[in-house]
Amino acid sequence: MTDPQHDPQDQPPHGPHRRRQHHPLEEHHPRGEGPARLTVLAGPTAVGKGTVSADLRRRYPDVWISVSATTRARRPGEVDGVHYHFVSEETFDGYVERGELLEWARVHGRHRYGTPRRPVEEVLAAGRPALLEIDLAGARQVREAMPEARFVFLAPPSWEELVRRLVGRGTEGEEERERRLATARVELAAEPEFDVTIYNDDVQRATDELVSWMGVRGS
Ligand code: 5GP
């Protein structure tokens, strides 16, 4: 994603982000009938995509979640092959050159992240529900490649809450925080491009709503 050149304050470009008047389930009717086989979950930095997908993994083990490749370093507690495939720049170049990624993006202007294509295709061919948790640029590429997928935007309850979460997480330095905030402003403005908006005011509720859109039953 490109960071905006302007807007030095912690405000989204089109004013504060507000909850919609109507619940998104009443507003949107996804294309096609029946459960979507591929669901793409995107949303701004620190909105809680990772927490929602972890909750989903725990409570709905039938849902397959793609493991992305990334060139960024592994953080403490992360496991190679589980949270990401941690690869070198050269290895990532090879994936791109051979067309092995369904989508990829440089996130926050820094590291590259991408979705290995073959596992997604195999899971979909087996009729299993699949989820990608990726950034906005990646979601746009998937829309081009697989327009039949369902695109879900995970939104914070408010802009103030998003900023609080970004600061509260405290894992990034000041420069990185500003970079992520700038990206978040751009990403929030993309909400209307998505089929569904889910507000992450409560993780389990947000997960349940996501699952209801995916047509998956609990186990
Ligand atoms: P983090 O480094 O904090 O784990 O993730 C940073 C960002 O990269 C998140 O917004 C996450 O959604 C995004 N991301 C993770 N995997 C992929 C991927 O495979 N493709 C794209 N486009 N973005 C990804």
Side-chain angles (χ1 to χ4, degrees), residues 167-178:
V167 176
R169 189 160 69 173
T171 52
E172 314 298 337
E174 179 68 16
E175 192 186 328
E176 179 65 14
R177 174 185 168 276
E178 285 305 318

Side-chain angles (χ1 to χ4, degrees), residues 1-2 4 13 17 42-47 49 107-108 134-138 140 153-154 159 162 180-194:
M1 291 227 41
T2 341
H17 188 67
T45 301
V47 74
K49 279 175 294 181
V107 179
H108 310 307
I134 57 177
D135 87 325
L136 176 64
R140 286 182 175 136
F153 189 86
L154 190 66
W159 174 255
L162 180 63
R180 289 186 172 213
L181 227 42
T183 304
R185 279 184 213 106
V186 174
E187 288 181 331
L188 276 176
E191 183 194 338
E193 295 174 30
F194 285 74

Side-chain angles (χ1 to χ4, degrees), residues 2-210:
T2 341
D3 290 347
Q5 303 292 309
H6 60 290
D7 200 8
Q9 289 166 23
D10 291 353
Q11 282 293 321
H14 304 298
H17 188 67
R18 293 192 196 288
R19 181 179 286 273
R20 283 183 178 162
Q21 291 285 336
H22 302 290
H23 189 275
L25 282 172
E26 297 161 3
E27 293 188 352
H28 294 277
H29 295 284
R31 288 156 282 144
E33 299 292 326
R37 298 202 312 179
L38 178 64
T39 301
V40 177
L41 181 69
T45 301
V47 74
K49 279 175 294 181
T51 317
V52 168
S53 54
D55 183 44
L56 186 90
R57 195 178 275 118
R58 184 172 61 82
R59 293 195 295 129
Y60 298 94
D62 286 350
V63 179
W64 180 85
I65 305 177
S66 167
V67 179
S68 300
T70 182
T71 58
R72 85 149 160 77
R74 197 168 57 82
R75 294 185 188 132
E78 286 181 333
V79 179
D80 189 28
V82 174
H83 298 93
Y84 286 103
H85 301 288
F86 296 98
V87 302
S88 66
E89 296 287 345
E90 293 71 27
T91 300
F92 202 97
D93 285 343
Y95 293 159
V96 173
E97 281 160 20
R98 294 189 298 272
E100 290 174 8
L101 300 177
L102 177 60
E103 59 75 34
W104 70 271
R106 191 176 292 280
V107 179
H108 310 307
R110 302 188 75 186
H111 306 294
R112 289 183 289 174
Y113 298 77
T115 304
R117 179 192 301 276
R118 195 190 301 161
V120 175
E121 289 175 349
E122 286 174 356
V123 164
L124 292 179
R128 219 176 143 194
L131 181 75
L132 308 186
E133 185 235 290
I134 57 177
D135 87 325
L136 176 64
R140 286 182 175 136
Q141 291 170 50
V142 178
R143 195 186 270 293
E144 290 295 312
M146 294 185 171
E148 70 281 8
R150 183 165 293 162
F151 293 84
V152 177
F153 189 86
L154 190 66
S158 66
W159 174 255
E160 291 71 24
E161 176 62 17
L162 180 63
V163 172
R164 201 185 64 73
R165 288 180 194 179
L166 268 171
V167 176
R169 189 160 69 173
T171 52
E172 314 298 337
E174 179 68 16
E175 192 186 328
E176 179 65 14
R177 174 185 168 276
E178 285 305 318
R179 193 195 296 273
R180 289 186 172 213
L181 227 42
T183 304
R185 279 184 213 106
V186 174
E187 288 181 331
L188 276 176
E191 183 194 338
E193 295 174 30
F194 285 74
D195 300 321
V196 180
T197 296
I198 294 177
Y199 291 94
N200 190 16
D201 45 9
D202 175 273
V203 171
Q204 293 206 356
R205 195 207 58 74
T207 305
D208 290 342
E209 192 178 335
L210 174 62

